[in-house]
Amino acid sequence: MLTVEGLHSYYGKAHILNGLSFGIARGEVVALLGRNGAGKSTTMKSVMQLVRPREGTVRFQDHDLVGQPAFRVAKYGIGYVPEDRRIFTDLTVMENLEVGRQPRRDDAPEWKMDQLFEIFPNLAERRTNRGKHLSGGEQQMLTIARTLMGNPVLLLLDEPSEGIAPVIVEQMARTIMTLKAQGLTVMISEQNLHFARAVADRAIIIESGEKKFDGSFAELEAHPEIRDAYLSV
């Protein structure tokens, strides 16, 4: 579904992604792992074309994404949940969800507001509350729900467990498993190995913008030296 080849991305003169390559198949949940600053968020922004790669290719289904505006990438069916959430704080929960609405796609599950309220009962209870009155975890849920209102084929989740309470982390894990059961393809960037192992089929480890490992969690557990070299604090 998604193929990234030889990706080089920069912030100014800072070389962040250094020839990164990987692929994601339909229906997979893939965890992009690495320490803070490894290039995980830049990878997602490069897929979305919020950061324009200087070299390499990004193909999503039949589309070449490099050079496309981010809104068109979203229209192709990629939903992006940024680490900093970016909800509309002066809009209610329901109004935030309406902002994200896009038409149904033939190759993706269709999400309606009532379904999302079943998945995120906290949001159902606060449906008329403004975004600024939600907790950090509830804002994270709202960002994911708003993105799902776009009926994406592929969902990119940037650090979904970062900075939220453990009980919400558990709910987030259940949510990702629900999305997978609905047939959605998901890529998450994470530093929390326990969380990633609970939800993902496969791990891709990057360090300094280069891929260091790509395989199952069983394979990663069989090579503790890789985990210690690239994931230990």
Side-chain angles (χ1 to χ4, degrees):
M1 174 178 285
L2 179 72
T3 304
V4 173
E5 290 284 350
L7 211 59
H8 290 262
S9 293
Y10 294 72
Y11 291 123
K13 294 183 180 180
H15 195 172
I16 307 300
L17 300 184
N18 190 12
L20 184 64
S21 299
F22 64 88
I24 297 178
R26 181 179 293 275
E28 276 194 302
V29 177
V30 176
L32 189 63
L33 302 175
R35 296 188 182 96
N36 190 33
K40 303 186 301 298
S41 294
T42 305
T43 300
M44 293 198 165
K45 290 176 181 177
S46 295
V47 170
M48 287 301 301
Q49 300 301 297
L50 295 168
V51 171
R52 294 296 178 89
R54 295 189 191 175
E55 296 180 45
T57 61
V58 181
R59 287 191 61 82
F60 173 65
Q61 302 190 121
D62 296 327
H63 305 289
D64 292 317
L65 300 187
V66 174
Q68 302 265 21
F71 77 86
R72 187 164 293 133
V73 175
K75 283 190 172 183
Y76 289 150
I78 301 182
Y80 172 55
V81 179
E83 182 181 5
D84 54 1
R85 298 162 189 156
R86 298 191 185 184
I87 64 167
F88 296 99
T89 56
D90 288 330
L91 299 184
T92 67
V93 167
M94 294 183 69
E95 289 168 341
N96 267 276
L97 295 179
E98 283 295 340
V99 167
R101 186 187 295 275
Q102 287 192 44
R104 180 180 182 180
R105 303 174 197 278
D106 293 336
D107 56 350
E110 182 182 16
W111 298 95
K112 297 180 179 179
M113 208 173 289
D114 289 346
Q115 292 173 281
L116 294 172
F117 284 148
E118 289 180 10
I119 296 173
F120 300 105
N122 305 53
L123 298 183
E125 295 171 4
R126 294 162 176 77
R127 66 182 71 195
T128 60
N129 288 29
R130 297 188 187 278
K132 60 187 174 185
H133 297 140
L134 304 180
S135 69
E138 289 165 349
Q139 290 184 4
Q140 182 73 296
M141 293 176 191
L142 179 56
T143 312
I144 295 172
R146 183 183 63 189
T147 305
L148 290 173
M149 285 291 288
N151 298 316
V153 181
L154 169 64
L155 183 66
L156 308 181
L157 293 175
D158 196 359
E159 302 280 3
S161 73
E162 180 71 16
I164 58 178
V167 65
I168 303 298
V169 172
E170 292 178 11
Q171 186 174 348
M172 200 69 68
R174 292 194 297 270
T175 297
I176 293 172
M177 297 308 293
T178 298
L179 300 181
K180 181 184 177 183
Q182 292 286 334
L184 191 62
T185 307
V186 183
M187 181 168 74
I188 64 172
S189 76
E190 264 298 332
Q191 295 185 61
N192 185 332
L193 180 59
H194 176 74
F195 177 84
R197 187 190 295 114
V199 301
D201 304 305
R202 181 161 59 95
I204 299 171
I205 297 176
I206 64 173
E207 175 71 19
S208 300
E210 297 180 0
K211 185 172 69 177
K212 301 297 184 180
F213 174 84
D214 187 345
S216 69
F217 282 91
E219 291 171 314
L220 181 57
E221 290 300 319
H223 294 280
E225 71 280 2
I226 295 176
R227 181 194 62 213
D228 294 343
Y230 301 116
L231 300 179
S232 298
V233 178

